[in-house]
Amino acid sequence: MTRASHPKTPLITAICNAIRRIPRGRVSTYGAIAKAAGYPRCARHVGRALRQVSGLPWQRVLGSGGRISLRGESAMEQRFLLEAEGVRFKGRRVDMKAFEYRFATPGGKPAKKLPRKSALTRK
DNA sequence: AAGATGACGCCCG
DNA sequence: CCGGGCGCCATCT
């Protein structure tokens, strides 16, 4: 298990949590999820979380603009799964206007911004 | 310890 | 619309 289970860093946990909040028939983006989780600049880590943690609604996570970021057959599968739950596409991208899920912001207050440098390894 | 990597994002031509 | 380039950040080699 050198690579296994691991990284349960707060970052991954928060991100998974956010992903789980996306309702069926709706989608979100890597960037938006990272932000909603409280880690604005960590879009890349959303992908990492999806890869490590199983049981997440991974098909609801898209790249900016509502485009599928995966390649090959995984991309086809993602599109298939999304359409199966009612999400519709406009060309190669999802009609975000109609299907993007907006994360609830606590008390109308936007997520706090990360100091710009990671708050994890930091101290 | 240093460099490379990645289910990303944004700006530019 | 598409490709190329640069920035982000925790992990991995």
Side-chain angles (χ1 to χ4, degrees), chain A residues 9 41 44-45 48 92 116 118:
Chain A
T9 78
R41 297 304 179 204
R44 290 190 116 138
H45 297 274
R48 191 181 301 280
R92 312 160 145 98
R116 249 181 75 285
S118 152

PDB file of all heavy atoms in Angstrom, chain A residues 9 41 44-45 48 92 116 118, chain C residues 1-2 7-11 13:
ATOM      1  N   THR A   9      -5.821  14.395   3.452  1.00  0.00           N
ATOM      2  CA  THR A   9      -5.505  15.731   3.925  1.00  0.00           C
ATOM      3  C   THR A   9      -6.810  16.496   3.974  1.00  0.00           C
ATOM      4  O   THR A   9      -7.776  16.097   3.358  1.00  0.00           O
ATOM      5  CB  THR A   9      -4.589  16.432   2.939  1.00  0.00           C
ATOM      6  OG1 THR A   9      -5.385  16.884   1.868  1.00  0.00           O
ATOM      7  CG2 THR A   9      -3.575  15.474   2.404  1.00  0.00           C
ATOM      8  N   ARG A  41      -7.311  28.145  -5.410  1.00  0.00           N
ATOM      9  CA  ARG A  41      -6.348  27.858  -6.481  1.00  0.00           C
ATOM     10  C   ARG A  41      -6.057  26.390  -6.697  1.00  0.00           C
ATOM     11  O   ARG A  41      -5.099  26.065  -7.348  1.00  0.00           O
ATOM     12  CB  ARG A  41      -5.021  28.548  -6.179  1.00  0.00           C
ATOM     13  CG  ARG A  41      -5.135  30.039  -6.142  1.00  0.00           C
ATOM     14  CD  ARG A  41      -5.688  30.465  -7.420  1.00  0.00           C
ATOM     15  NE  ARG A  41      -5.856  31.885  -7.463  1.00  0.00           N
ATOM     16  CZ  ARG A  41      -6.725  32.434  -8.275  1.00  0.00           C
ATOM     17  NH1 ARG A  41      -7.479  31.704  -9.026  1.00  0.00           N
ATOM     18  NH2 ARG A  41      -6.815  33.726  -8.319  1.00  0.00           N
ATOM     19  N   ARG A  44      -6.630  21.682  -9.631  1.00  0.00           N
ATOM     20  CA  ARG A  44      -5.955  20.426  -9.975  1.00  0.00           C
ATOM     21  C   ARG A  44      -6.156  19.361  -8.935  1.00  0.00           C
ATOM     22  O   ARG A  44      -6.172  18.182  -9.239  1.00  0.00           O
ATOM     23  CB  ARG A  44      -4.468  20.673 -10.126  1.00  0.00           C
ATOM     24  CG  ARG A  44      -4.175  21.473 -11.324  1.00  0.00           C
ATOM     25  CD  ARG A  44      -2.713  21.500 -11.585  1.00  0.00           C
ATOM     26  NE  ARG A  44      -2.510  20.850 -12.828  1.00  0.00           N
ATOM     27  CZ  ARG A  44      -1.692  21.257 -13.759  1.00  0.00           C
ATOM     28  NH1 ARG A  44      -0.949  22.286 -13.560  1.00  0.00           N
ATOM     29  NH2 ARG A  44      -1.611  20.633 -14.853  1.00  0.00           N
ATOM     30  N   HIS A  45      -6.289  19.768  -7.717  1.00  0.00           N
ATOM     31  CA  HIS A  45      -6.437  18.791  -6.642  1.00  0.00           C
ATOM     32  C   HIS A  45      -7.812  18.142  -6.647  1.00  0.00           C
ATOM     33  O   HIS A  45      -8.013  17.102  -6.062  1.00  0.00           O
ATOM     34  CB  HIS A  45      -6.138  19.438  -5.301  1.00  0.00           C
ATOM     35  CG  HIS A  45      -4.724  19.916  -5.232  1.00  0.00           C
ATOM     36  ND1 HIS A  45      -3.691  19.102  -4.844  1.00  0.00           N
ATOM     37  CD2 HIS A  45      -4.185  21.090  -5.605  1.00  0.00           C
ATOM     38  CE1 HIS A  45      -2.564  19.783  -4.969  1.00  0.00           C
ATOM     39  NE2 HIS A  45      -2.827  20.975  -5.425  1.00  0.00           N
ATOM     40  N   ARG A  48      -7.326  15.119  -8.422  1.00  0.00           N
ATOM     41  CA  ARG A  48      -6.598  14.157  -7.610  1.00  0.00           C
ATOM     42  C   ARG A  48      -7.570  13.442  -6.669  1.00  0.00           C
ATOM     43  O   ARG A  48      -7.526  12.234  -6.493  1.00  0.00           O
ATOM     44  CB  ARG A  48      -5.550  14.881  -6.770  1.00  0.00           C
ATOM     45  CG  ARG A  48      -4.593  13.947  -6.106  1.00  0.00           C
ATOM     46  CD  ARG A  48      -3.596  14.717  -5.265  1.00  0.00           C
ATOM     47  NE  ARG A  48      -2.848  15.664  -6.072  1.00  0.00           N
ATOM     48  CZ  ARG A  48      -1.819  15.315  -6.834  1.00  0.00           C
ATOM     49  NH1 ARG A  48      -1.434  14.072  -6.864  1.00  0.00           N
ATOM     50  NH2 ARG A  48      -1.186  16.210  -7.534  1.00  0.00           N
ATOM     51  N   ARG A  92     -19.851  20.409 -27.642  1.00  0.00           N
ATOM     52  CA  ARG A  92     -19.024  19.613 -26.753  1.00  0.00           C
ATOM     53  C   ARG A  92     -19.109  20.015 -25.319  1.00  0.00           C
ATOM     54  O   ARG A  92     -18.382  19.519 -24.498  1.00  0.00           O
ATOM     55  CB  ARG A  92     -17.571  19.766 -27.116  1.00  0.00           C
ATOM     56  CG  ARG A  92     -17.254  19.635 -28.485  1.00  0.00           C
ATOM     57  CD  ARG A  92     -15.999  20.280 -28.543  1.00  0.00           C
ATOM     58  NE  ARG A  92     -14.932  19.968 -29.317  1.00  0.00           N
ATOM     59  CZ  ARG A  92     -14.729  20.600 -30.419  1.00  0.00           C
ATOM     60  NH1 ARG A  92     -15.632  21.318 -30.945  1.00  0.00           N
ATOM     61  NH2 ARG A  92     -13.620  20.459 -30.979  1.00  0.00           N
ATOM     62  N   ARG A 116      -2.829  32.677  -0.282  1.00  0.00           N
ATOM     63  CA  ARG A 116      -2.088  32.623  -1.522  1.00  0.00           C
ATOM     64  C   ARG A 116      -1.036  31.565  -1.476  1.00  0.00           C
ATOM     65  O   ARG A 116      -0.615  31.098  -2.435  1.00  0.00           O
ATOM     66  CB  ARG A 116      -1.430  33.926  -1.820  1.00  0.00           C
ATOM     67  CG  ARG A 116      -2.096  34.474  -2.944  1.00  0.00           C
ATOM     68  CD  ARG A 116      -1.659  35.705  -3.448  1.00  0.00           C
ATOM     69  NE  ARG A 116      -0.517  35.763  -4.155  1.00  0.00           N
ATOM     70  CZ  ARG A 116       0.657  35.682  -3.632  1.00  0.00           C
ATOM     71  NH1 ARG A 116       0.802  35.427  -2.457  1.00  0.00           N
ATOM     72  NH2 ARG A 116       1.650  35.861  -4.357  1.00  0.00           N
ATOM     73  N   SER A 118      -0.113  27.904   0.269  1.00  0.00           N
ATOM     74  CA  SER A 118      -0.870  26.836   0.878  1.00  0.00           C
ATOM     75  C   SER A 118      -0.995  26.957   2.381  1.00  0.00           C
ATOM     76  O   SER A 118      -0.096  27.382   3.056  1.00  0.00           O
ATOM     77  CB  SER A 118      -0.179  25.565   0.568  1.00  0.00           C
ATOM     78  OG  SER A 118      -0.451  24.685   1.558  1.00  0.00           O
TER      79      SER A 118
ATOM     80  P    DC C   1     -16.850  28.208 -29.769  1.00  0.00           P
ATOM     81  OP1  DC C   1     -17.714  29.148 -30.483  1.00  0.00           O
ATOM     82  OP2  DC C   1     -17.281  26.996 -29.126  1.00  0.00           O
ATOM     83  O5'  DC C   1     -15.700  27.810 -30.806  1.00  0.00           O
ATOM     84  C5'  DC C   1     -16.005  27.065 -31.999  1.00  0.00           C
ATOM     85  C4'  DC C   1     -14.723  26.503 -32.574  1.00  0.00           C
ATOM     86  O4'  DC C   1     -13.863  27.604 -32.967  1.00  0.00           O
ATOM     87  C3'  DC C   1     -13.940  25.704 -31.531  1.00  0.00           C
ATOM     88  O3'  DC C   1     -13.283  24.607 -32.153  1.00  0.00           O
ATOM     89  C2'  DC C   1     -12.946  26.709 -30.991  1.00  0.00           C
ATOM     90  C1'  DC C   1     -12.647  27.548 -32.235  1.00  0.00           C
ATOM     91  N1   DC C   1     -12.286  28.929 -31.876  1.00  0.00           N
ATOM     92  C2   DC C   1     -11.073  29.430 -32.336  1.00  0.00           C
ATOM     93  O2   DC C   1     -10.387  28.717 -33.070  1.00  0.00           O
ATOM     94  N3   DC C   1     -10.694  30.655 -31.968  1.00  0.00           N
ATOM     95  C4   DC C   1     -11.469  31.399 -31.181  1.00  0.00           C
ATOM     96  N4   DC C   1     -11.051  32.606 -30.838  1.00  0.00           N
ATOM     97  C5   DC C   1     -12.724  30.938 -30.711  1.00  0.00           C
ATOM     98  C6   DC C   1     -13.095  29.699 -31.075  1.00  0.00           C
ATOM     99  P    DC C   2     -12.510  23.591 -31.298  1.00  0.00           P
ATOM    100  OP1  DC C   2     -12.828  22.251 -31.823  1.00  0.00           O
ATOM    101  OP2  DC C   2     -12.761  23.929 -29.884  1.00  0.00           O
ATOM    102  O5'  DC C   2     -10.974  23.875 -31.593  1.00  0.00           O
ATOM    103  C5'  DC C   2     -10.546  24.259 -32.892  1.00  0.00           C
ATOM    104  C4'  DC C   2      -9.032  24.345 -32.901  1.00  0.00           C
ATOM    105  O4'  DC C   2      -8.614  25.720 -32.707  1.00  0.00           O
ATOM    106  C3'  DC C   2      -8.402  23.538 -31.764  1.00  0.00           C
ATOM    107  O3'  DC C   2      -7.194  22.955 -32.206  1.00  0.00           O
ATOM    108  C2'  DC C   2      -8.167  24.591 -30.692  1.00  0.00           C
ATOM    109  C1'  DC C   2      -7.821  25.820 -31.533  1.00  0.00           C
ATOM    110  N1   DC C   2      -8.160  27.076 -30.867  1.00  0.00           N
ATOM    111  C2   DC C   2      -7.205  28.103 -30.879  1.00  0.00           C
ATOM    112  O2   DC C   2      -6.138  27.938 -31.465  1.00  0.00           O
ATOM    113  N3   DC C   2      -7.488  29.271 -30.252  1.00  0.00           N
ATOM    114  C4   DC C   2      -8.661  29.426 -29.635  1.00  0.00           C
ATOM    115  N4   DC C   2      -8.888  30.595 -29.031  1.00  0.00           N
ATOM    116  C5   DC C   2      -9.649  28.400 -29.615  1.00  0.00           C
ATOM    117  C6   DC C   2      -9.356  27.247 -30.246  1.00  0.00           C
ATOM    118  P    DG C   7       4.890  32.014 -15.450  1.00  0.00           P
ATOM    119  OP1  DG C   7       5.446  33.303 -14.977  1.00  0.00           O
ATOM    120  OP2  DG C   7       5.740  30.807 -15.476  1.00  0.00           O
ATOM    121  O5'  DG C   7       3.621  31.699 -14.537  1.00  0.00           O
ATOM    122  C5'  DG C   7       2.525  32.602 -14.589  1.00  0.00           C
ATOM    123  C4'  DG C   7       1.431  32.145 -13.632  1.00  0.00           C
ATOM    124  O4'  DG C   7       0.741  31.024 -14.212  1.00  0.00           O
ATOM    125  C3'  DG C   7       1.998  31.661 -12.286  1.00  0.00           C
ATOM    126  O3'  DG C   7       1.139  32.106 -11.240  1.00  0.00           O
ATOM    127  C2'  DG C   7       1.960  30.152 -12.409  1.00  0.00           C
ATOM    128  C1'  DG C   7       0.766  29.925 -13.308  1.00  0.00           C
ATOM    129  N9   DG C   7       0.835  28.702 -14.092  1.00  0.00           N
ATOM    130  C8   DG C   7       1.910  28.218 -14.792  1.00  0.00           C
ATOM    131  N7   DG C   7       1.680  27.068 -15.372  1.00  0.00           N
ATOM    132  C5   DG C   7       0.371  26.783 -15.031  1.00  0.00           C
ATOM    133  C6   DG C   7      -0.438  25.678 -15.351  1.00  0.00           C
ATOM    134  O6   DG C   7      -0.149  24.691 -16.027  1.00  0.00           O
ATOM    135  N1   DG C   7      -1.706  25.782 -14.801  1.00  0.00           N
ATOM    136  C2   DG C   7      -2.139  26.822 -14.037  1.00  0.00           C
ATOM    137  N2   DG C   7      -3.389  26.753 -13.585  1.00  0.00           N
ATOM    138  N3   DG C   7      -1.402  27.869 -13.725  1.00  0.00           N
ATOM    139  C4   DG C   7      -0.159  27.779 -14.246  1.00  0.00           C
ATOM    140  P    DC C   8       1.656  31.876  -9.734  1.00  0.00           P
ATOM    141  OP1  DC C   8       1.478  33.171  -9.063  1.00  0.00           O
ATOM    142  OP2  DC C   8       2.994  31.199  -9.780  1.00  0.00           O
ATOM    143  O5'  DC C   8       0.630  30.885  -9.061  1.00  0.00           O
ATOM    144  C5'  DC C   8      -0.173  30.068  -9.828  1.00  0.00           C
ATOM    145  C4'  DC C   8      -1.174  29.326  -8.953  1.00  0.00           C
ATOM    146  O4'  DC C   8      -1.614  28.218  -9.709  1.00  0.00           O
ATOM    147  C3'  DC C   8      -0.543  28.755  -7.682  1.00  0.00           C
ATOM    148  O3'  DC C   8      -1.434  28.662  -6.582  1.00  0.00           O
ATOM    149  C2'  DC C   8      -0.082  27.396  -8.138  1.00  0.00           C
ATOM    150  C1'  DC C   8      -1.007  27.020  -9.277  1.00  0.00           C
ATOM    151  N1   DC C   8      -0.236  26.424 -10.405  1.00  0.00           N
ATOM    152  C2   DC C   8      -0.726  25.322 -11.088  1.00  0.00           C
ATOM    153  O2   DC C   8      -1.832  24.896 -10.784  1.00  0.00           O
ATOM    154  N3   DC C   8       0.031  24.767 -12.040  1.00  0.00           N
ATOM    155  C4   DC C   8       1.233  25.270 -12.350  1.00  0.00           C
ATOM    156  N4   DC C   8       1.962  24.688 -13.285  1.00  0.00           N
ATOM    157  C5   DC C   8       1.750  26.410 -11.672  1.00  0.00           C
ATOM    158  C6   DC C   8       0.978  26.965 -10.722  1.00  0.00           C
ATOM    159  P    DC C   9      -0.874  28.727  -5.125  1.00  0.00           P
ATOM    160  OP1  DC C   9      -1.622  29.721  -4.355  1.00  0.00           O
ATOM    161  OP2  DC C   9       0.598  28.790  -5.228  1.00  0.00           O
ATOM    162  O5'  DC C   9      -1.264  27.295  -4.554  1.00  0.00           O
ATOM    163  C5'  DC C   9      -1.437  26.220  -5.462  1.00  0.00           C
ATOM    164  C4'  DC C   9      -1.461  24.908  -4.729  1.00  0.00           C
ATOM    165  O4'  DC C   9      -1.139  23.926  -5.706  1.00  0.00           O
ATOM    166  C3'  DC C   9      -0.399  24.739  -3.648  1.00  0.00           C
ATOM    167  O3'  DC C   9      -0.787  23.686  -2.777  1.00  0.00           O
ATOM    168  C2'  DC C   9       0.779  24.316  -4.463  1.00  0.00           C
ATOM    169  C1'  DC C   9       0.146  23.392  -5.464  1.00  0.00           C
ATOM    170  N1   DC C   9       0.855  23.332  -6.752  1.00  0.00           N
ATOM    171  C2   DC C   9       0.699  22.191  -7.524  1.00  0.00           C
ATOM    172  O2   DC C   9      -0.054  21.298  -7.121  1.00  0.00           O
ATOM    173  N3   DC C   9       1.369  22.105  -8.689  1.00  0.00           N
ATOM    174  C4   DC C   9       2.170  23.093  -9.086  1.00  0.00           C
ATOM    175  N4   DC C   9       2.825  22.960 -10.240  1.00  0.00           N
ATOM    176  C5   DC C   9       2.336  24.276  -8.308  1.00  0.00           C
ATOM    177  C6   DC C   9       1.654  24.350  -7.159  1.00  0.00           C
ATOM    178  P    DA C  10       0.009  23.423  -1.461  1.00  0.00           P
ATOM    179  OP1  DA C  10      -0.776  24.006  -0.369  1.00  0.00           O
ATOM    180  OP2  DA C  10       1.404  23.836  -1.676  1.00  0.00           O
ATOM    181  O5'  DA C  10      -0.035  21.837  -1.315  1.00  0.00           O
ATOM    182  C5'  DA C  10      -1.302  21.201  -1.227  1.00  0.00           C
ATOM    183  C4'  DA C  10      -1.221  19.778  -1.760  1.00  0.00           C
ATOM    184  O4'  DA C  10      -0.679  19.793  -3.095  1.00  0.00           O
ATOM    185  C3'  DA C  10      -0.325  18.856  -0.948  1.00  0.00           C
ATOM    186  O3'  DA C  10      -0.891  17.555  -0.947  1.00  0.00           O
ATOM    187  C2'  DA C  10       0.985  18.883  -1.712  1.00  0.00           C
ATOM    188  C1'  DA C  10       0.510  19.028  -3.149  1.00  0.00           C
ATOM    189  N9   DA C  10       1.450  19.739  -4.023  1.00  0.00           N
ATOM    190  C8   DA C  10       2.067  20.932  -3.803  1.00  0.00           C
ATOM    191  N7   DA C  10       2.854  21.317  -4.789  1.00  0.00           N
ATOM    192  C5   DA C  10       2.730  20.314  -5.714  1.00  0.00           C
ATOM    193  C6   DA C  10       3.300  20.112  -6.980  1.00  0.00           C
ATOM    194  N6   DA C  10       4.157  20.963  -7.551  1.00  0.00           N
ATOM    195  N1   DA C  10       2.966  18.997  -7.653  1.00  0.00           N
ATOM    196  C2   DA C  10       2.106  18.143  -7.094  1.00  0.00           C
ATOM    197  N3   DA C  10       1.495  18.207  -5.914  1.00  0.00           N
ATOM    198  C4   DA C  10       1.863  19.336  -5.271  1.00  0.00           C
ATOM    199  P    DT C  11      -0.321  16.407  -0.042  1.00  0.00           P
ATOM    200  OP1  DT C  11      -1.447  15.827   0.706  1.00  0.00           O
ATOM    201  OP2  DT C  11       0.848  16.977   0.664  1.00  0.00           O
ATOM    202  O5'  DT C  11       0.200  15.293  -1.043  1.00  0.00           O
ATOM    203  C5'  DT C  11       0.474  15.664  -2.357  1.00  0.00           C
ATOM    204  C4'  DT C  11       0.620  14.480  -3.285  1.00  0.00           C
ATOM    205  O4'  DT C  11       1.335  14.987  -4.413  1.00  0.00           O
ATOM    206  C3'  DT C  11       1.449  13.318  -2.763  1.00  0.00           C
ATOM    207  O3'  DT C  11       1.051  12.115  -3.431  1.00  0.00           O
ATOM    208  C2'  DT C  11       2.848  13.749  -3.115  1.00  0.00           C
ATOM    209  C1'  DT C  11       2.664  14.514  -4.406  1.00  0.00           C
ATOM    210  N1   DT C  11       3.536  15.696  -4.535  1.00  0.00           N
ATOM    211  C2   DT C  11       4.163  15.894  -5.751  1.00  0.00           C
ATOM    212  O2   DT C  11       4.011  15.137  -6.696  1.00  0.00           O
ATOM    213  N3   DT C  11       4.969  16.996  -5.805  1.00  0.00           N
ATOM    214  C4   DT C  11       5.206  17.920  -4.813  1.00  0.00           C
ATOM    215  O4   DT C  11       5.954  18.871  -5.009  1.00  0.00           O
ATOM    216  C5   DT C  11       4.510  17.655  -3.575  1.00  0.00           C
ATOM    217  C7   DT C  11       4.694  18.596  -2.422  1.00  0.00           C
ATOM    218  C6   DT C  11       3.718  16.573  -3.501  1.00  0.00           C
ATOM    219  P    DT C  13       5.838   7.487  -7.272  1.00  0.00           P
ATOM    220  OP1  DT C  13       5.322   6.462  -8.196  1.00  0.00           O
ATOM    221  OP2  DT C  13       6.021   7.184  -5.843  1.00  0.00           O
ATOM    222  O5'  DT C  13       7.216   8.035  -7.866  1.00  0.00           O
ATOM    223  C5'  DT C  13       7.184   8.761  -9.092  1.00  0.00           C
ATOM    224  C4'  DT C  13       8.591   9.036  -9.569  1.00  0.00           C
ATOM    225  O4'  DT C  13       9.094  10.253  -8.939  1.00  0.00           O
ATOM    226  C3'  DT C  13       9.598   7.938  -9.236  1.00  0.00           C
ATOM    227  O3'  DT C  13      10.560   7.851 -10.286  1.00  0.00           O
ATOM    228  C2'  DT C  13      10.281   8.462  -7.983  1.00  0.00           C
ATOM    229  C1'  DT C  13      10.274   9.961  -8.208  1.00  0.00           C
ATOM    230  N1   DT C  13      10.262  10.773  -6.980  1.00  0.00           N
ATOM    231  C2   DT C  13      10.979  11.946  -6.973  1.00  0.00           C
ATOM    232  O2   DT C  13      11.625  12.325  -7.918  1.00  0.00           O
ATOM    233  N3   DT C  13      10.911  12.659  -5.817  1.00  0.00           N
ATOM    234  C4   DT C  13      10.212  12.338  -4.680  1.00  0.00           C
ATOM    235  O4   DT C  13      10.229  13.081  -3.702  1.00  0.00           O
ATOM    236  C5   DT C  13       9.455  11.100  -4.748  1.00  0.00           C
ATOM    237  C7   DT C  13       8.667  10.640  -3.566  1.00  0.00           C
ATOM    238  C6   DT C  13       9.528  10.385  -5.892  1.00  0.00           C
TER     239       DT C  13
END
